[in-house]
Each structure stands twice: as C-alpha cells, then as structure tokens.
Amino acid sequence: MTPASLKRLAVATVASAGVIALAIGPAGASASGSAKKMDDELIPVRILSINDLHGNLEPPTGSSGRIADETGTVVDGVGGAAYLATYVKQQRNRDTVLVAAGDLIGASPLLSAAFHDEPTVAFLDSLDLATSSAGNHEFDEGIAELKRVMEGKCHPVDGCSPAGKWKGTDFEFIAANVIDTKKNKPALAPYYVERINGEKVAFIGLVTKTTPTIVTASGIAGLDFTDEVAAANETSAYLRDVKGIKAQVVLVHEGDQVTPNQSPDACPITKGAGSRIAEGIDPEIDIVISGHSHQAYICKATDPAGQQRVYTQGSSFGRVLTQIDFQIDKGTGDIVRSSVVADNTVVRRTVTPDPATVSFINDWKARVATVANKKVGDITADITNVAGPSGESPLGNLIADSQLESAKAGGNAEIALMNPGGIRTTLTYASSPVGEGPGVTTYGEIFAVQPFNNLVQVVTLTGAQLKLVLEQQWVGGPNNQAFTKILQPSSNLTYSYSNSAAWGSKVSDIKIDGVPVTPTQSIRVAANNFLVGGGDAFAAFTQGTDLWSGPLDIDAFEDYLTANSPVAPPVANHITVLP
C-alpha cells in the first residue's frame, strides 16, 4: 500500500474568496507506477470510478442487488466488494487511477457500521483508491469523526475495533465547497492531484450544497456548504493559473434521476441538480463524475463555452464500475476531449471473487457475528419498504408504530412520522442467517433497515403546524422540496391528499384515532431527530416546542419487534388519495 505520507502534501494559498488549503499528490504516488519518460505527444490515462458504496462489503440483497444491464434487462446478482475488487483489478492498467464520488461510508450495513466504517475504508485502501469527494453521508458523525477515519486513532467513545488501533487511510476525502466557519477556510482539501505517465491530473471534490437539509444538525455543525459551481470554478482557476494544471476532473456528490431500467451506458436523465453543475462549471474542467442519486448513466453535458464534456455516474452499492479513457496532449497538458471514452460495467457475481477480499470480509463477519445474529423477533411474511399508491409502505408504518410506542411513556407521544429515506431495505421472511428457519428476524437485519442511529424525539405541534408538515411532503412550497416525500404515519394517524390541489391545500381530513384534528389543538409528535431538526426540507418540524429525546430508533424498533412477535405486515391504508 502507498504510505499516506506520500499522498498528502498540504499546500496553503490565498484565493480571492479567502484562505484555502490545497492538497497534491507528488510524482510517483500513482497506482499506475512511477512517472515514465514518453516520446509520444498523446499520453494515455484511465480513470476507474465508483460512488455511493455505503459500506456494502457483502453482496447487497433484494432490489439493492439488481440493476439494468447494458441491454436494459434487469439482472440480479450484482455488487459486492469481492466482485468489485476483481473488476477493478481486471480493468486496471499502468495508466490507471481509481477515484470515487462520495458516500463510500455512512448508511452502511452492520458489518461496516458496527466499527464506524473502518472495514470499508480499509477495503478501499486495498484497492489503492486515490481520492474521493466527500458525500453527505461522510458527515453523518461529524467532521471530527471523518478526519479521524482519514488520520487514524481509535474511536473516542467505542475505542479500538477488534482489528486493533486504527491507522487511518491512504486516501483523503476532498471537498472544495465545505467551509469551516470558525477558520473561514475549507474543512477538507479542495482537490487532489495524481501524476500519471508524467502528466498531472487534478480532481476537484464537491458535495451537494443541500447537505445541511439531509444530515443531522450535529453532523454539519460548524460547516458551511457553499454553491458547488462557484467553488469548482475558484479551485479550477487556481489549479490552472497557479499550479499550471489544465487536466481537470470534477468528482461531485450530486446527480440526476433517470428513466428506470435503461442501460447504464445510456443517458436517460431528467436534468436536475447534477446537470446544473455539469453544465455550469468552468470550461477548463473536462470530465464530471457524479454520485448521490444512485443512478447509472454516461452523458455529455454542454459547458459554458458550448463544448461537450463527459458526465457520468455509476449507480450505488458497488453495482457498477465506471471506466473513462482519454489522452492528454503532452504539449498543452490538457485533456483531449475528443479522445474521452466512458463505459459503465455492471459488476456481476459471475466472476471469481477476489480471494484477498473474501478473506478480509470473512474476518470482519466473524467479529460482528455475535451482534448481527442476535434474534429480535419473528415476522409472518416479508415486510417491505415498497411504497403503494399513497406513498405508504408496510415497513414504514411499522417503524412509525415502533417509534410511537417507545415515546408514549416518557414523551407523551400521540402520533409518529417516519421519513421514507431512512428505511433502507426490506425485512424478509426467508431463512434466517442464524439457521432458525423462516420468519426469524435478527439485529443485523433490522440494522440494515435503519442504519443511522437517530434518536426518537417528540415535539409539540399545533394542528395547523402538523398540516404544514404534511403539506411539505410536496414540491412547490417555500422549502425547496426536491421531490415528493411521503412521510410514513403511525397506524392511528389518517388523512387524505390530492396531488392536483394547490400547494397548501393538498392535505385534508386529518384524524388521530378517528378524531378530527383542529388547527389550534396541541399534538405530541414523535419522529427521529433528523426530521425534528428540519431534515428532508420538513422545516415546519422546527416550530415544535417541548422537545423530548428518547431511545435510539434502532432500539425502539428492536423492542417493538420483540414485544409484538410474531409481527404481521401492517396494511398500508392510512392515507387516502383523492382526485
């Protein structure tokens, strides 16, 4: 492995917007080997990239383990670190650098999350990952924890993992648009430079500016997330004018949605935040590698000078490996855009898994087995997080009920609401990993459903404020909701909505235990601390008063399943959709 000291040379400079800290990898730090003398005028470079791994070391299951292949056919059996490692090694040559576009850690399965994602970043080091943009989930436990992961030392609360003292990573997360508000400078290195065949390629890191609305307040305390385009342009100008580097690539943790079930090499995007960045950043930047939306696409975006540049994303959970080949003009040091060729490869489990990675994962599985295999209860059938026509899911209702139950005694909760994005997978009835037969549910399985360790909290809202929270489920309000997000209600909360009604008038007939809610009544509402803090653009939650904090959401869920076992899938019929 390349020593971390060889990949980190901090350089400070003064830019027009203030003092920024900049990092550069020296010659010889490349995965492709030391710089070599070449007589050709065109220098070959290969980028391999991933995004949104989310600590999925084991092969992801259910819908997370399938994707549309190059023909548009949805296939099962994709993803998994040992298979990804095989593909990386097959596609790597002497001209290659491996990079990523964020959310490599956070919202991870228990195998990684139980050890604060140290197993995942150790795996990435084994692949010789050069750098990654930070994603929003890299901030789940705050900037201090992210720096600990990079720099080393054992966790300040949980101590060292069974593997011993944590030594840090050989790569850094980068982000040009995350500012330490106390120091008024970037909280992370804005860029990373890799020397390949004697030529420098700069990677500029960016994370979605919406991070404060999708990460708990404690995770982004002391940080300012600035406009991605402005930060990229400032860093690009510095790289060109001060460092003389014209070969520039953006790694941005933001992306677009796509028409489902298309080839990963197609461009079926619906233009959104990702395209805004890909089209708006400086023409000096030649390639844009994106993440965040968990989609796979190979597109071309038109830059401000009217020229096209490649714009890619590689799905999530290690299901796709992106390969980008191009040439650098040795005379100008710039990427020849006409030479850029990009391809998304589906990571199928039909190849031989990398033996070293298999052994590595088995070691960590043994370490976490006692916790993961603990039985918490039984279920009578699959309890899915698949939304029905109203936006409800059986699992969403079940989790809301568990949070309501956990918050009744201490917090006097009357109803509960759960954000759908916090429900990561389905509880399946299939045979249990502990070998006790179908229906057995383990701690590892429920952790995969709710991996964030949020607190269950309760606040008092008026009936009018509760209605406003429910109105904020739709695009069109003052809080810039990106797309409709139907909160999952506890089983005693019912209401109706009309998609065709104007914003502010969509929700009607709100009832608790069958009793109509009035605008002035006080209601104790349970939710996780992410929602209570206004996350997912539900700003009306912040109007709540008399805050009470209860157990972790995972503990509330575990207790509910144990107390009510066996649990049948709830009927998701609490919301009525009107014309």
Side-chain angles (χ1 to χ4, degrees):
M1 245 178 245
T2 308
S5 59
L6 293 180
K7 282 202 172 182
R8 297 178 188 144
L9 176 60
V11 181
T13 186
V14 178
S16 58
V19 179
I20 59 176
L22 301 161
I24 181 168
S30 160
S32 60
S34 59
K36 61 178 182 175
K37 196 171 184 180
M38 297 189 69
D39 296 326
D40 296 336
E41 291 300 316
L42 297 176
I43 310 302
V45 174
R46 171 171 292 178
I47 294 174
L48 297 178
S49 71
I50 58 173
N51 58 274
D52 295 274
L53 181 63
H54 289 289
N56 278 264
L57 297 177
E58 293 187 276
T61 60
S63 61
S64 297
R66 65 176 67 104
I67 196 172
D69 66 10
E70 288 79 358
T71 69
T73 302
V74 176
V75 294
D76 286 300
V78 298
Y83 301 95
L84 177 63
T86 294
Y87 275 86
V88 168
K89 291 178 179 180
Q90 287 177 346
Q91 294 181 217
R92 172 176 266 142
N93 61 26
R94 65 186 305 168
D95 310 317
T96 301
V97 56
L98 175 66
V99 298
D103 274 11
L104 303 180
I105 59 176
S108 304
L110 185 63
L111 178 64
S112 187
F115 308 107
H116 299 279
D117 279 313
E118 290 174 16
T120 293
V121 289
F123 161 68
L124 294 168
D125 268 341
S126 75
L127 295 184
D128 203 7
L129 180 70
T131 192
S132 173
S133 64
N136 54 286
H137 281 290
E138 266 78 34
F139 297 95
D140 281 348
E141 295 187 54
I143 186 67
E145 169 63 6
L146 179 57
K147 289 185 175 180
R148 182 197 72 82
V149 168
M150 290 190 290
E151 296 168 2
K153 295 185 180 179
C154 296
H155 192 271
V157 175
D158 294 334
C160 296
S161 80
K165 184 178 179 181
W166 177 242
K167 297 180 181 180
T169 62
D170 286 351
F171 69 92
E172 287 187 309
F173 290 97
I174 57 175
N177 67 319
V178 182
I179 305 301
D180 182 322
T181 54
K182 288 185 178 179
K183 298 179 181 179
N184 192 31
K185 68 178 185 179
L188 299 169
Y191 73 85
Y192 172 84
V193 174
E194 185 86 356
R195 190 185 292 271
I196 305 170
N197 293 332
E199 298 297 321
K200 294 177 181 178
V201 180
F203 296 89
I204 300 170
L206 302 169
V207 60
T208 173
K209 66 180 180 181
T210 68
T211 295
T213 71
I214 52 178
V215 173
T216 55
S218 60
I220 49 87
L223 301 175
D224 184 23
F225 292 78
T226 65
D227 182 75
E228 307 96 337
V229 173
N233 290 350
E234 180 181 342
T235 307
S236 173
Y238 172 83
L239 288 165
R240 180 189 63 233
D241 299 338
V242 179
K243 306 302 293 184
I245 302 173
K246 293 183 178 180
Q248 299 180 12
V249 178
V250 154
L251 304 174
V252 55
H253 192 71
E254 183 60 280
D256 289 326
Q257 297 297 322
V258 303
T259 304
N261 301 333
Q262 305 295 306
S263 165
D265 293 324
C267 183
I269 63 169
T270 299
K271 287 190 176 182
S275 288
R276 173 182 60 82
I277 297 165
E279 294 173 355
I281 55 179
D282 195 281
E284 191 68 70
I285 297 163
D286 298 292
I287 297 168
V288 180
I289 298 171
S290 69
H292 189 49
S293 59
H294 290 207
Q295 306 300 332
Y297 48 78
I298 302 291
C299 295
K300 289 193 176 179
T302 303
D303 70 21
Q307 302 300 310
Q308 289 191 322
R309 57 185 162 206
V310 166
Y311 165 46
T312 72
Q313 189 176 160
S315 185
S316 60
F317 308 148
R319 292 178 291 180
V320 168
L321 178 64
T322 303
Q323 177 178 314
I324 306 173
D325 290 297
F326 58 89
Q327 295 172 324
I328 295 177
D329 186 308
K330 192 173 182 180
T332 65
D334 206 353
I335 292 173
V336 180
R337 285 204 192 175
S338 61
S339 72
V340 180
V341 178
D343 178 66
N344 275 334
T345 300
V346 174
V347 176
R348 300 173 184 264
R349 297 175 207 158
T350 53
V351 298
T352 302
D354 178 62
T357 305
V358 170
S359 177
F360 172 84
I361 292 172
N362 286 339
D363 286 345
W364 285 102
K365 285 173 67 175
R367 290 162 179 161
V368 80
T370 301
V371 176
N373 292 337
K374 184 180 74 170
K375 178 180 176 179
V376 299
D378 295 278
I379 58 176
T380 64
D382 287 354
I383 305 179
T384 75
N385 63 336
V386 178
S390 70
E392 292 178 84
S393 73
L395 188 52
N397 292 153
L398 181 64
I399 291 172
D401 281 343
S402 74
Q403 294 183 358
L404 174 59
E405 186 66 27
S406 73
K408 282 181 177 177
N412 299 313
E414 299 170 75
I415 61 171
L417 293 166
M418 175 64 190
N419 56 308
I423 307 170
R424 308 302 285 191
T425 190
T426 286
L427 278 182
T428 59
Y429 179 75
S431 296
S432 165
V434 296
E436 295 190 30
V440 172
T441 300
T442 65
Y443 186 83
E445 289 174 307
I446 68 169
F447 190 92
V449 169
Q450 282 191 278
F452 296 104
N453 280 318
N454 287 321
L455 289 172
V456 177
Q457 295 186 319
V458 182
V459 291
T460 298
L461 297 176
T462 66
Q465 289 168 337
L466 173 60
K467 183 178 186 301
L468 181 56
V469 166
L470 298 177
E471 290 285 341
Q472 288 174 344
Q473 296 173 122
W474 282 273
V475 176
N479 300 314
N480 297 316
Q481 185 69 273
F483 52 90
T484 299
K485 298 175 184 176
I486 300 298
L487 295 172
Q488 307 296 291
S490 54
S491 57
N492 64 335
L493 172 64
T494 61
Y495 67 93
S496 301
Y497 72 74
S498 171
N499 280 314
S500 62
W503 193 93
S505 301
K506 291 182 178 292
V507 175
S508 60
D509 196 27
I510 305 172
K511 295 179 181 179
I512 298 174
D513 293 316
V515 179
V517 169
T518 66
T520 58
Q521 78 179 87
S522 294
I523 305 164
R524 294 289 285 166
V525 182
N528 59 48
N529 59 290
F530 171 68
L531 278 177
V532 170
D536 270 349
F538 288 98
F541 260 114
T542 64
Q543 299 175 17
T545 59
D546 300 322
L547 174 68
W548 174 87
S549 292
L552 291 173
D553 54 5
I554 184 69
D555 293 338
F557 195 32
E558 178 185 12
D559 290 345
Y560 189 85
L561 288 171
T562 300
N564 294 279
S565 182
V567 176
V571 179
N573 63 352
H574 306 98
I575 303 173
T576 300
V577 181
L578 303 174

